[in-house]
Amino acid sequence: MPLWPVYTGTNEPHDGIAELPAPPPWRDFDGGPVLPVPDAAADTAAHSPDRTHRAETYQATEETVELVNAALYLRRPLLVTGPPGTGKSSLVYAVARELRLGPVLRWNITSRSTLHDGLYQYDPLSRLYAARQEAARPGRTGGTDGAGGTGGTGGAVDGSGIEHHLRLGPLGTALLPYDRPRALLIDEIDKSDLDLPNDLLNVLEEGQYEIPELVRASRLTPDGVAEVLADGTDERVPVVRGRVRCRAFPFVVLTSNGEREFPPAFLRRCVTLHLRQPDDRHLAEIVRAHLGEPDAYARTLIERFLSRSGAGDLATDQLLNAIYLARSAGLDAGSLDRLAEQLMPYLGQSAQSDVF
């Protein structure tokens, strides 16, 4: 029987993702050949102590659990909005850890980011250099096959093939035909160029894309298979005739600080979750998860944090910093109060209060 909720928010890893029901007919994908999801420790950049801590200590609200499961069931991206410091980017690490989705793929967006950056990177100059080296090699006969095969005599590997100079990006890797969803964080999508959300529409809707360089090169090889590097690993994955199509639609989290509006066509293809500033009970749970049971002074700081949050934006990590220093620095009460005030400046004026 289908399992609801698949993601529970308890931070206890399990294989409930295997009990996810079949997707809606309009979100069914059949890519191949099927690939296993890499182990969570396979990507050393993604497997770091800070990210592990964020995943283990994330405190999900009931609304968050419901909408994460809605995105998983519907095979839709999750657009997470809210003030800074409310845990938008940490959410994807918590879900990936609980559901054993492997290393989180991360695409940090800037004003110069393009769809191509997220799908793959190809370096034609390094390929040209490799081709010249190959042509100058003693005993070389014949040309390259254009797709990374072996050429000449002696069976040496031809490093001038396209696949040796191409690496899939985070989005391109997430859409490989894995046997269970990969987790992808597209961080701060509101900082992108105006065209990027619209450019993402077709790829996220269709769950597939083409690599033109490999499409052309595939005509020169019998099976049309190129072995390319995936994001976050030195392992190679097969791409057939330059086309990539997912099998299990990835769990995609797009975060936004609300610095811009998105087109309706983009919004209707996402499940939207708005994270609010936590209330006193939720704040105490966050402090407890990160730093242990709040003492009297920590509760005083929580109350001060809540009383000030109605006048401007404050981030939860500012409160955690203040409580950590209060416990560790050995300062007197007056110094602690002054330091706490300096550690919790307003990040900006709020149009309306997020306080419960």
Side-chain angles (χ1 to χ4, degrees):
M1 289 183 60
L3 175 66
W4 180 282
V6 175
Y7 169 65
T8 64
T10 60
N11 296 328
E12 293 294 332
H14 59 84
D15 289 312
I17 195 69
E19 299 181 48
L20 199 65
W26 56 90
R27 299 295 294 164
D28 198 7
F29 304 100
D30 59 356
V34 180
L35 302 172
V37 169
D39 183 79
D43 183 353
T44 55
H47 186 71
S48 59
D50 62 317
R51 293 180 180 180
T52 301
H53 177 78
R54 288 159 63 186
E56 292 174 343
T57 58
Y58 188 82
Q59 300 296 300
T61 65
E62 183 178 343
E63 180 185 24
T64 297
V65 171
E66 288 179 350
L67 291 177
V68 165
N69 281 282
L72 289 168
Y73 267 62
L74 295 172
R75 277 66 169 184
R76 289 290 185 185
L78 182 68
L79 175 62
V80 184
T81 66
T86 48
K88 297 185 295 295
S89 59
S90 297
L91 171 60
V92 66
Y93 292 98
V95 175
R97 178 178 180 273
E98 181 179 319
L99 299 183
R100 295 174 173 157
L101 303 183
V104 172
L105 300 159
R106 181 166 185 149
W107 183 15
N108 295 312
I109 301 299
T110 70
S111 59
R112 299 179 299 279
S113 298
T114 66
L115 178 63
H116 188 279
D117 298 330
L119 292 176
Y120 69 96
Q121 299 88 42
Y122 169 55
D123 188 349
L125 292 180
S126 70
R127 187 188 177 211
L128 177 62
Y129 179 73
R132 288 176 176 174
Q133 285 191 315
E134 183 68 20
R137 192 177 68 192
R140 172 70 178 175
T141 60
T144 69
D145 62 13
T150 59
T153 59
V157 174
D158 181 359
S160 65
I162 288 177
E163 65 187 78
H164 296 291
H165 306 276
L166 187 148
R167 179 187 284 272
L168 301 183
L171 175 59
T173 300
L175 292 172
L176 286 168
Y178 289 108
D179 57 2
R180 62 171 59 190
R182 291 296 305 271
L184 169 66
L185 172 62
I186 304 179
D187 204 22
E188 298 190 333
I189 183 69
D190 50 334
K191 285 184 167 55
S192 72
D193 176 86
L194 290 174
D195 293 329
L196 183 58
N198 283 324
D199 293 342
L200 282 168
L201 285 180
N202 185 63
V203 172
L204 293 178
E205 188 68 16
E206 300 297 327
Q208 63 184 12
Y209 63 97
E210 286 189 352
I211 302 174
E213 295 87 349
L214 292 182
V215 172
R216 292 190 294 269
S218 68
R219 303 180 187 130
L220 303 175
T221 57
D223 56 5
V225 176
E227 298 281 339
V228 302
L229 289 172
D231 184 69
T233 178
D234 291 328
E235 298 294 325
R236 292 187 174 271
V237 293
V239 174
V240 181
R241 306 204 178 280
R243 297 176 178 87
V244 176
R245 180 173 172 83
C246 71
R247 190 171 192 88
F249 187 78
F251 176 61
V252 181
V253 172
L254 306 103
T255 69
S256 169
N257 290 322
E259 296 180 7
R260 59 176 285 192
E261 294 185 353
F262 297 105
F266 176 79
L267 292 175
R268 75 177 180 84
R269 288 172 169 85
C270 297
V271 174
T272 301
L273 166 65
H274 181 70
L275 296 180
R276 297 171 176 81
Q277 291 285 9
D279 60 9
D280 55 350
R281 180 192 59 81
H282 194 195
L283 269 179
E285 290 176 352
I286 292 172
V287 171
R288 189 176 296 111
H290 286 272
L291 299 170
E293 189 65 33
D295 57 20
Y297 190 73
R299 293 188 180 279
T300 299
L301 287 178
I302 291 174
E303 292 173 4
R304 189 181 305 173
F305 180 89
L306 288 171
S307 67
R308 298 179 67 232
S309 62
D313 287 337
L314 293 171
T316 306
D317 57 353
Q318 293 174 288
L319 173 64
L320 292 174
N321 288 336
I323 294 175
Y324 173 79
L325 278 179
R327 291 184 173 183
S328 306
L331 299 175
D332 59 72
S335 298
L336 285 175
D337 287 342
R338 287 193 299 273
L339 186 58
E341 185 175 353
Q342 291 172 328
L343 288 172
M344 295 192 292
Y346 291 122
L347 305 177
Q349 296 301 310
S350 300
Q352 67 181 59
S353 173
D354 257 323
V355 99
F356 291 132

